[in-house]
Amino acid sequence: MVEIELDGRKVEVTEGSMVMQAAEKAGTFIPHFCYHKKLSIAANCRMCLVDVEKVPKPVPACATPVTQGMVVHTKSEKAVAAQQSVMEFLLINHPLDCPICDQGGECLLQDLAVGYGSDGSRYTEEKRVVFHKNVGPLISMEEMSRCIQCTRCVRFGQEIAGIMELGMVNRGEHAEITTFLGSTVDSEISGNMIDICPVGALTSKPFRYSARTWELSRRKSVSPHDSTGANLVVQVKGAQVMRVVPLENEDVNECWIADRDRFSYEALNSDQRLTKPMLKQDGRWHEVDWPTALDYVARALKDIAQTHGADSVGALATGHSTVEELYLLSSLMREYGSDNVDFRLRHSEFVQGHGAHWLGTSIASLSTLNSALVVGSFLNKDHPLFAQRIRQACNKQGAEVFRIHAVADDWRLPIAGEVVVAPSQWLKALCNVAQAVAQEKGTQSPFAGTVDDVSAAIAKSLISGQSKAILLGNMAAQHPRASQLLTATNWIAEQTGATVGYLTEDANTVGAQLVKAMPQNSGLNAAQMLEKSLRAYILLATEPELDMANPARAYTSLKGADTVICMSAFKSEKAMDYADALLPIAPFTETAGTFINAEGRVQSFHGVTTPLGDTRPAWKVLRVLADMLGLSGLAYNSAQEVREAALMNLATDETGLLLKSGLSNQSEAAVPAEFSLNLGAGEYERVAEVPIYATDALVRRAPALQATRDAKPPVVGVPTHIWKDMGLQDGDQVRVQQGEAHAVLQAVHAPAQANGTLRVPVGHPLTATLGNAFGPLTIVKV
């Protein structure tokens, strides 16, 4: 530790710290633009000049290391004069468009100009003009004349997003921030550049000119998209959500959010919003009031129970629903007499574990890993904020990251080693790692495997690392041999001291397991419900024709059911085809609820706006429906009462983290030495990721997100050996066949893809006609 004197006060800071960091610790504000606590030091703007005794000229606080006994003055005449001079230079070319600037009211340049600027300029020369750039549908660079070259956006891309999408070209008055070769900004977390821009040079394109910042009410919420549970500030004007920005929480999302957290709010105002209950009569839809709709649903369910038995009804939910909604749905179904309830829509195996599968460690610890093995994950797209945490571990801790996957996608971080094989070979790859661990430690592995260079490197890294984790991604959790993958992983972890965790798919995957939103006794799982073609289905906030592991089968079963009750915030063409009742339920911004993220953190939130039209919170709809069905024990009067009942047996610490009872990644499944998919002649294994902007109903209906590169129509990834055998060329159309279903898509050469596989995404209407996400495919050139 080093002690310095700062404005007459003694401050003790870590050796190697900068004066700026000492000032932050002491609570002293030093004006700055280019400095950001999460980014490297650039010392571009010089606004943070301070007076250090025995130093002849003012020095930048952000780039001056502390020394023992240093005496610093941040508000002396010398320091203030230097800061005022810098401000004068910054304002020479800055346009006077504050009245129309979206940054007005929360602009750092505005704020500091009040304290360090003057009421007039000594410069009368013509201001420079920087032409606008089009960098995509999310970020507006229309007013780049405002840019002060702080390079925060450039450093964010390099250090946090992992890709340098923006850079500075030219020098002096010709310097400007731009993309390379006119490309767009496509990172999954690019919207954070808007937040860190200290002026109005980078603004939100969807929000542009729609409201003034001082007109907006700011309300806390939690992201409903992935398992990070990012903390949000939802900004509202009247009853309409206008903008979403991050709420800083170092333990969860730091000060970042993913682009789908930021821009999915556009769907809340979509013309597809379902605002009134609707019933289908004689093939035609009619809007009705709530008593009529619920009476119809209750009578239909009673009739089915009397005629065919309660177990002929099934409920399908999504992990994006709240704890309260999933608990009431599960309770209602079991009171009704059916154990057919499940949220694991994309899973291929449904073995019950000892507890809720979770991350196995804290989210914050991902930033400090020394070694990690990631299995079956499209990391950047599935979990953008987890990816940036692991990227930090590589950049700052020198972490070694290994992966077992079917494709070698660019995660924008250094990969120390990888095994790229078809999904059916992942188990064998883990057995090889187990054998390498046993060989390294001089023990016996229970799994037959072969030690190769990559498995040996993984074993050495996991054994030698101080902080290490084995992380199972979404595809590993959905795998036909998911429990056996977990068994092999657990053995490796026991031998190496690593933690084992699931990255977990949805915002409330952990919560859904804890409230038992899946069969507990003899009930049918999600796949069985559709295979057996039940008499009736209750759908909670899900679109099975896009959300299921086998969407074609899901649509057929729903179409053939006697009654389908769809509880959704949106009306879709498919739902209006197979459903008999559409009940409008509130999205996360219009209801109170709770999500439990991957690390087991319980985060509750309130609705930020009033429900649109006749929309009602799903927990209220379920509670009233239970009354009309004559079910007892569900008479809750508030979301808080439901939450207390749902989590009554689960204890949390003072930060909201669940104590580890109820959380477990243990598995007792036996692991065979070999497993392979039975493929016929000309058949290949399917690799099916869920595109980042096709994961849930909100992102599918957000116009800006759907205009990004990641939302382009799906293509077929074809590895080199198949590409050459078929004589394919760029732009060729191919017919992908799965059973009797087919889809015609564009083929794309994928040299980094495993042999014997075809990469065909799920969750998109163009591929919804196909079958199982892990099933065999054939391909024919059109």
Side-chain angles (χ1 to χ4, degrees):
M1 301 296 286
V2 174
E3 186 178 80
I4 69 170
E5 183 181 312
L6 184 73
D7 291 339
R9 295 173 54 199
K10 299 292 185 182
V11 181
E12 197 174 62
V13 292
T14 306
E15 187 175 358
S17 299
M18 301 298 160
V19 172
M20 180 72 80
Q21 292 158 336
E24 286 181 342
K25 184 175 181 180
T28 299
F29 177 74
I30 298 176
H32 60 274
F33 293 110
C34 69
Y35 173 78
H36 190 282
K37 63 183 179 181
K38 295 293 182 181
L39 304 177
S40 62
I41 293 167
N44 287 340
C45 71
R46 318 307 280 186
M47 190 65 208
C48 65
L49 292 175
V50 294
D51 179 14
V52 177
E53 288 190 6
K54 300 181 181 178
V55 177
K57 294 181 179 180
V59 295
C62 67
T64 302
V66 296
T67 58
Q68 183 65 36
M70 175 186 280
V71 179
V72 181
H73 303 284
T74 68
K75 298 177 177 60
S76 68
E77 185 177 337
K78 183 178 179 181
V80 171
Q83 293 159 0
Q84 289 174 337
S85 295
V86 170
M87 177 59 70
E88 184 177 19
F89 279 114
L90 288 174
L91 293 176
I92 290 173
N93 281 307
H94 199 79
L96 300 176
D97 58 357
C98 294
I100 65 160
C101 179
D102 275 339
Q103 195 85 349
E106 51 188 22
C107 175
L108 189 57
L109 184 66
Q110 258 185 350
D111 294 341
L112 294 183
V114 172
Y116 299 91
S118 62
D119 58 0
S121 174
R122 291 184 290 172
Y123 293 86
T124 58
E125 289 80 7
E126 186 174 317
K127 292 179 181 287
R128 78 168 191 156
V129 174
V130 180
F131 290 109
H132 67 270
K133 289 92 178 170
N134 182 9
V135 294
L138 305 182
I139 300 175
S140 172
M141 296 181 73
E142 291 293 318
E143 288 89 12
M144 288 307 292
S145 296
R146 300 172 184 162
C147 178
I148 60 171
Q149 286 86 46
C150 71
T151 69
R152 279 186 178 184
C153 55
V154 178
R155 286 174 285 145
F156 172 85
Q158 288 177 297
E159 299 161 18
I160 307 299
I163 179 171
M164 189 176 174
E165 295 179 291
L166 294 177
M168 182 180 286
V169 297
N170 303 325
R171 302 191 67 181
E173 68 171 336
H174 302 293
E176 60 179 286
I177 300 293
T178 186
T179 58
F180 300 98
L181 303 178
S183 58
T184 55
V185 174
D186 298 307
S187 160
E188 307 82 18
I189 54 176
S190 64
N192 293 289
M193 293 179 182
I194 299 167
D195 295 331
I196 63 175
C197 180
V199 295
L202 303 181
T203 55
S204 168
K205 191 170 281 189
F207 175 71
R208 183 176 165 81
Y209 294 154
S210 60
R212 304 311 311 234
T213 58
W214 53 83
E215 298 176 310
L216 304 177
S217 300
R218 290 158 172 78
R219 293 156 190 173
K220 298 178 182 178
S221 193
V222 179
S223 168
H225 300 300
D226 62 36
S227 58
T228 307
N231 290 200
L232 310 176
V233 174
V234 181
Q235 300 184 349
V236 179
K237 181 180 180 182
Q240 187 174 352
V241 175
M242 304 300 294
R243 186 167 63 165
V244 175
V245 296
L247 175 64
E248 186 169 351
N249 186 331
E250 279 297 312
D251 293 330
V252 181
N253 55 298
E254 301 174 276
C255 56
W256 317 121
I257 55 174
D259 287 349
R260 62 183 169 193
D261 302 329
R262 183 183 302 273
F263 297 108
S264 65
Y265 75 87
E266 285 188 293
L268 300 171
N269 309 313
S270 165
D271 57 7
Q272 290 190 42
R273 277 296 300 269
L274 179 64
T275 58
K276 288 183 178 295
M278 299 180 73
L279 297 179
K280 185 188 286 183
Q281 296 176 341
D282 300 324
R284 300 183 66 182
W285 284 98
H286 302 275
E287 292 184 349
V288 298
D289 57 22
W290 271 105
T292 302
L294 290 175
D295 180 65
Y296 170 87
V297 171
R299 283 190 291 106
L301 291 176
K302 287 178 181 178
D303 290 345
I304 290 170
Q306 291 174 357
T307 308
H308 304 286
D311 59 358
S312 64
V313 178
L316 297 171
T318 170
H320 299 289
S321 297
T322 66
V323 162
E324 293 82 355
E325 293 164 356
L326 292 167
Y327 174 74
L328 278 177
L329 178 67
S330 304
S331 300
L332 182 149
M333 289 298 294
R334 293 188 180 108
E335 288 272 340
Y336 172 75
S338 173
D339 193 34
N340 304 334
V341 57
D342 208 347
F343 78 98
R344 300 165 297 176
L345 305 182
R346 298 194 190 279
H347 283 224
S348 301
E349 187 192 54
F350 298 88
V351 176
Q352 297 281 19
H354 294 277
H357 290 164
W358 67 300
L359 187 60
T361 185
S362 68
I363 291 175
S365 70
L366 297 179
S367 303
T368 60
L369 290 173
N370 301 125
S371 178
L373 170 61
V374 184
V375 182
S377 176
F378 295 91
L379 187 64
N380 271 5
K381 308 301 180 183
D382 292 344
H383 302 93
L385 295 180
F386 288 172
Q388 77 87 15
R389 289 265 191 187
I390 296 173
R391 193 173 296 119
Q392 284 185 45
C394 293
N395 294 340
K396 298 178 181 179
Q397 308 291 328
E400 293 183 319
V401 176
F402 299 86
R403 64 181 170 192
I404 297 173
H405 200 20
V407 292
D409 280 349
D410 181 11
W411 286 358
R412 300 196 289 274
L413 54 83
I415 301 297
E418 60 187 340
V419 179
V420 180
V421 291
S424 64
Q425 300 301 305
W426 293 352
L427 187 55
K428 181 178 180 181
L430 280 172
C431 290
N432 291 346
V433 175
Q435 187 66 42
V437 169
Q439 182 175 296
E440 188 75 17
K441 296 194 69 177
T443 60
Q444 187 70 33
S445 169
F447 316 122
T450 304
V451 179
D452 54 27
D453 291 343
V454 177
S455 59
I458 295 172
K460 289 179 181 178
S461 181
L462 290 175
I463 291 171
S464 62
Q466 296 297 311
S467 175
K468 45 214 172 180
I470 306 176
L471 302 169
L472 299 168
N474 293 353
M475 275 195 74
Q478 299 157 4
H479 197 278
R481 296 293 183 271
S483 60
Q484 296 168 355
L485 290 173
L486 179 58
T487 297
T489 300
N490 277 327
W491 188 88
I492 296 169
E494 289 168 6
Q495 299 299 313
T496 60
T499 62
V500 173
Y502 283 91
L503 294 169
T504 69
E505 184 176 358
D506 301 327
N508 202 28
T509 296
V510 175
Q513 296 172 84
L514 291 171
V515 299
K516 298 179 172 51
M518 50 193 176
Q520 296 301 296
N521 299 307
S522 57
L524 304 179
N525 60 48
Q528 292 168 337
M529 285 186 228
L530 298 171
E531 288 167 3
K532 291 183 179 291
S533 298
L534 300 177
R535 291 284 177 172
Y537 295 92
I538 300 173
L539 307 179
L540 176 61
T542 182
E543 298 174 304
E545 69 276 10
L546 296 174
D547 291 336
M548 299 296 295
N550 191 332
R553 180 61 182 152
Y555 178 73
T556 302
S557 296
L558 292 170
K559 184 70 174 166
D562 294 343
T563 302
V564 176
I565 300 151
C566 184
M567 302 172 63
S568 175
F570 302 95
K571 51 186 175 183
S572 67
E573 182 180 340
K574 292 286 188 181
M576 298 188 80
D577 185 26
Y578 58 66
D580 298 283
L582 295 175
L583 305 181
I585 59 171
F588 80 107
T589 54
E590 298 170 18
T591 183
T594 302
F595 293 135
I596 302 178
N597 70 1
E599 66 177 350
R601 186 180 297 274
V602 180
Q603 300 187 109
S604 297
F605 54 91
H606 298 284
V608 301
T609 64
T610 55
L612 185 63
D614 286 341
T615 297
R616 296 291 181 269
W619 72 266
K620 288 187 177 181
V621 176
L622 290 165
R623 182 246 189 269
V624 175
L625 181 58
D627 279 351
M628 299 182 75
L629 289 169
L631 307 179
S632 60
L634 301 179
Y636 302 107
N637 296 315
S638 68
Q640 183 177 351
E641 287 185 16
V642 183
R643 179 166 60 251
E644 289 172 354
L647 304 178
M648 63 184 301
N649 297 320
L650 300 170
T652 63
D653 63 17
E654 63 279 1
T655 68
L657 276 173
L658 284 170
L659 303 181
K660 298 307 178 279
S661 59
L663 300 176
S664 173
N665 292 322
Q666 292 302 306
S667 170
E668 294 179 354
V671 179
E674 295 286 342
F675 164 70
S676 62
L677 191 67
N678 294 322
L679 297 174
E683 290 186 330
Y684 304 101
E685 280 193 52
R686 182 178 183 181
V687 178
E689 86 270 29
V690 184
I692 185 171
Y693 301 134
T695 53
D696 60 75
L698 279 175
V699 297
R700 290 178 192 133
R701 292 169 174 84
L705 294 178
Q706 292 306 313
T708 62
R709 188 179 67 179
D710 280 323
K712 285 184 177 179
V715 296
V716 182
V718 183
T720 300
H721 71 293
I722 303 176
W723 185 270
K724 289 181 177 179
D725 289 347
M726 295 184 64
L728 293 173
Q729 302 292 326
D730 289 338
D732 282 352
Q733 298 285 309
V734 294
R735 182 190 301 272
V736 178
Q737 191 92 14
Q738 192 167 20
E740 297 180 358
H742 73 273
V744 176
L745 304 170
Q746 182 182 336
V748 173
H749 185 207
Q753 190 171 306
N755 289 340
T757 65
L758 294 174
R759 183 173 179 175
V760 183
V762 295
H764 194 281
L766 291 179
T767 59
T769 56
L770 299 176
N772 197 307
F774 285 90
L777 296 171
T778 59
I779 181 172
V780 179
K781 184 177 178 181
V782 175

